[in-house]
Amino acid sequence: MISRRDLVAASLSAAGFAALALPRLAVAQEAELPLTPACGAPAATTKRQTEGPYFVPSSPLKRDLRGDGSGDILALSGFVLTRQCRPVTGALVDLWHANDSGDYDNSGFRFRGHQLTDEQGRYQFITRIPGLYPGRTRHFHVKLRAGNGPVLTTQLYFPDEPGNARDGIYDKSLLIQIRAAEGGKLGRFDFVISA
Ligand SMILES: [Fe+2]
């Protein structure tokens, strides 16, 4: 169990990415994220998508959602960036998703949590791959807010999912890059906002 104090300490330090109780996966993810991302022309902002019916406000400050259910482990991380690829510090990234049976927790906060980006604009969650429910392909829900700026509501998708082609709102620009690692999978998605 990770204490709130540990979480706060982890969020304040780049070393926090390696401080969780999944060392090989966390260390591998740390190695994947450079201190500053490459950037060419101004990047396109992350597309907005519908919120869906299951958003719950005031999720806990929580990085590690693994204990909220079963299923394959995924360490999801990346940057929050401006269109000029400048990191956005202290942006709130709120994640919610279904459990591996495809159900949302609508009475509590299982598989619901938020993080604040660190000084390099990075966020990270360690969670489980969500299950499927009728009518949708596999997805995460995200709300992102930097300072007093507008809220970006969107969804993230998984590669090689048969349901992607049949999903009415699936968008390939919202695909997570995923690769296998020891102990789970590593996912990478960078958000771009017009800050
Ligand atoms: Fe959903």
Side-chain angles (χ1 to χ4, degrees):
M1 193 69 187
I2 297 173
S3 72
R4 185 178 181 86
R5 194 168 153 191
D6 288 339
L7 273 178
V8 170
S11 72
L12 292 174
S13 161
F17 278 75
L20 293 165
L22 193 60
R24 282 187 292 271
L25 197 52
V27 167
Q29 188 75 338
E30 169 80 358
E32 288 232 319
L33 285 178
L35 285 181
T36 51
C39 188
T45 52
T46 301
K47 286 189 179 167
R48 296 174 185 278
Q49 291 220 307
T50 52
E51 175 179 300
Y54 302 120
F55 174 67
V56 175
S58 305
S59 73
L61 176 64
K62 187 175 176 185
R63 184 195 303 277
D64 187 350
L65 309 182
R66 285 175 294 168
D68 293 348
S70 56
D72 291 342
I73 291 170
L74 172 71
L76 173 69
S77 66
F79 292 90
V80 176
L81 302 166
T82 67
R83 293 195 63 211
Q84 288 71 40
C85 282
R86 296 208 173 85
V88 180
T89 300
L92 192 153
V93 183
D94 197 340
L95 174 74
W96 74 101
H97 65 85
N99 66 16
D100 72 338
S101 301
D103 297 317
Y104 289 86
D105 179 7
N106 293 314
S107 58
F109 289 98
R110 285 193 296 277
F111 294 123
R112 298 176 185 275
H114 72 268
Q115 287 290 290
L116 299 172
T117 53
D118 69 7
E119 65 274 17
Q120 273 111 28
R122 303 180 302 184
Y123 72 93
Q124 186 187 54
F125 291 96
I126 299 183
T127 188
R128 308 270 181 179
I129 306 268
L132 292 165
Y133 59 89
R136 292 301 317 279
T137 190
R138 203 180 308 278
H139 62 281
F140 283 139
H141 292 271
V142 175
K143 278 184 184 286
L144 193 163
R145 186 172 201 187
N148 293 320
V151 175
L152 168 68
T153 301
T154 192
Q155 302 187 28
L156 302 181
Y157 297 96
F158 294 78
D160 305 320
E161 286 287 332
N164 287 349
R166 299 190 295 269
D167 190 286
I169 65 166
Y170 163 78
D171 189 307
K172 67 179 181 184
S173 76
L174 298 170
L175 271 176
I176 304 166
Q177 294 175 41
I178 291 186
R179 72 173 180 82
E182 195 171 349
K185 292 180 175 169
L186 299 176
R188 167 81 183 271
F189 188 87
D190 295 344
F191 296 93
V192 179
I193 60 174
S194 52

